Amino acid sequence: MSIVTNKELLDRAKAGHYAVAAFNTNNLEYTQAILTAASELRAPVIVAAAKSEVDYMDGYVFVSMVTCLADKFGIPVGIHLDHGPTFEETIRCLHYGFKSVMYDGSFLPLEENIAVTKEVVKAAHACGVSVEGEVGVIGQAADGPEGRRHDMTGLADPDECERFVAETGVDCFAAAIGNAHGLYKRKPELRFDILAELEKRTSIPLVLHGGTGIPEGDLRKAITMGVSKINFSTVMRKGYIETLTATLNGSPGELDLMKLLSPGKDRMIEIAKEHIVMCMSDRKA
Ligand code: 13P
């Protein structure tokens, strides 16, 4: 069986000093690209979907699609809910067959975030599913579809992170350390001082969101400091859309949808490979 929990993937990554790349998806070409790239590099990989992406694909279809492709490629693959917005939406993904869920209560006061995350952990662990939590608010680098804005980003407090991890029992957690989702308007300044504190005070794998646009040197430094999962989404969508646009402009009258979509898929394979190498997870499957 190629589908594994994020706990298995991330514990191994932390011990091996690399990070597992987690790519969001919302369709077949996108998912094929992620798994083709990971398989060609013999890398473990996480295929993730946020609520809007789960709704778009249908949760059961998403899990079946990733499971079939993972079996075909024979590499360890995680199936993950990214930013579960409520207890109910997160728990629904256990029913679909996800192997890992993130509950994002970072907008709540810490007490409430801890209380709901704890309930999610209880239910998910009963089903053998890993849980990721979030502390501090990882906003949007630019206003984005998730409705989060740059000015909503709030750095994680190491005291709160320590308490959150100890009280909730999450398997890994994401902390806001100067990272943001989407295209950064200026070079991101990661707070390695906060990361160092988090590594010192917690023993579980750390997750870095907003991987698009973070320089390779910073990603690698973060990995040496306990980051074991790095999320990438915008960079893949951007590459796909740019290539699709060029293909459409260069193929007037073409009605074979497969011919129009394939170059975008090939571009996403290249991008996914570049980011897997940045995570140093190639040849770790
Ligand atoms: P980017 O879109 O900035 O790569 O962030 C992805 C992410 O963190 C998904 O949770």
Side-chain angles (χ1 to χ4, degrees):
M1 187 55 157
S2 304
I3 300 298
V4 291
T5 64
N6 277 12
K7 178 167 172 50
E8 286 172 66
L9 290 174
L10 302 194
D11 285 351
R12 215 176 301 152
K14 191 170 160 67
H17 308 292
Y18 61 91
V20 180
F23 297 102
N24 286 60
T25 187
N26 52 43
N27 71 12
L28 175 67
E29 289 76 24
Y30 209 146
T31 313
Q32 286 173 321
I34 295 164
L35 289 166
T36 301
S39 150
E40 286 181 9
L41 293 176
R42 302 311 302 160
V45 76
I46 293 165
V47 187
K51 178 190 150 31
S52 58
E53 293 164 326
V54 174
D55 290 347
Y56 180 79
M57 291 181 283
D58 182 287
Y60 294 113
V61 173
F62 168 60
V63 171
S64 302
M65 171 174 69
V66 178
T67 305
C68 289
L69 289 169
D71 280 347
K72 175 183 155 187
F73 287 114
I75 46 167
V77 176
I79 303 181
H80 177 70
L81 170 69
D82 189 30
H83 294 287
T86 61
F87 175 82
E88 289 77 10
E89 294 287 354
T90 308
I91 295 305
R92 188 171 304 148
C93 289
L94 304 182
H95 196 58
Y96 294 140
F98 282 58
K99 279 292 179 188
S100 168
V101 291
M102 173 183 191
Y103 168 68
D104 180 357
S106 61
F107 282 93
L108 299 170
L110 183 68
E111 296 291 339
E112 278 177 58
N113 187 6
I114 289 176
V116 182
T117 305
K118 234 166 132 171
E119 290 301 305
V120 170
V121 169
K122 199 167 152 190
H125 282 184
C127 303
V129 171
S130 309
V131 180
E132 176 179 329
E134 179 170 323
V135 186
V137 180
I138 304 167
Q140 288 290 140
D143 291 0
E146 288 87 356
R148 293 176 166 198
R149 301 194 323 272
H150 185 53
D151 57 11
M152 293 167 80
T153 302
L155 291 172
D157 171 342
D159 288 338
E160 292 193 354
C161 292
E162 189 175 355
R163 196 178 144 205
F164 179 85
V165 169
E167 292 187 22
T168 59
V170 287
D171 301 289
C172 60
F173 82 108
I177 56 162
N179 46 328
H181 301 101
L183 295 177
Y184 292 96
K185 287 180 181 154
R186 64 190 95 83
K187 183 178 171 292
E189 303 282 346
L190 293 189
R191 290 285 303 269
F192 289 107
D193 55 329
I194 298 181
L195 195 52
E197 274 301 306
L198 300 182
E199 201 202 4
K200 209 166 23 163
R201 297 188 195 198
T202 62
S203 56
I204 60 174
L206 299 168
V207 178
L208 187 64
H209 282 243
T212 296
I214 297 181
E216 181 167 359
D218 286 358
L219 292 182
R220 293 202 170 192
K221 183 169 173 187
I223 293 168
T224 65
M225 299 173 74
V227 166
S228 310
K229 169 175 176 269
I230 304 180
N231 292 5
F232 302 102
S233 178
T234 307
V235 66
M236 292 280 278
R237 279 182 278 123
K238 185 168 177 291
Y240 190 32
I241 291 166
E242 284 171 356
T243 307
L244 179 59
T245 305
T247 310
L248 289 171
N249 288 339
S251 321
E254 176 61 66
L255 290 175
D256 183 337
L257 198 51
M258 292 177 287
K259 279 193 187 148
L260 295 173
L261 296 178
S262 292
K265 179 164 80 177
D266 292 343
R267 179 70 193 119
M268 281 195 291
I269 294 173
E270 286 171 7
I271 296 171
K273 279 174 141 178
E274 283 165 23
H275 289 79
I276 287 170
V277 170
M278 285 186 203
C279 289
M280 301 183 286
S281 55
D282 47 312
R283 291 171 282 113
K284 304 293 193 310

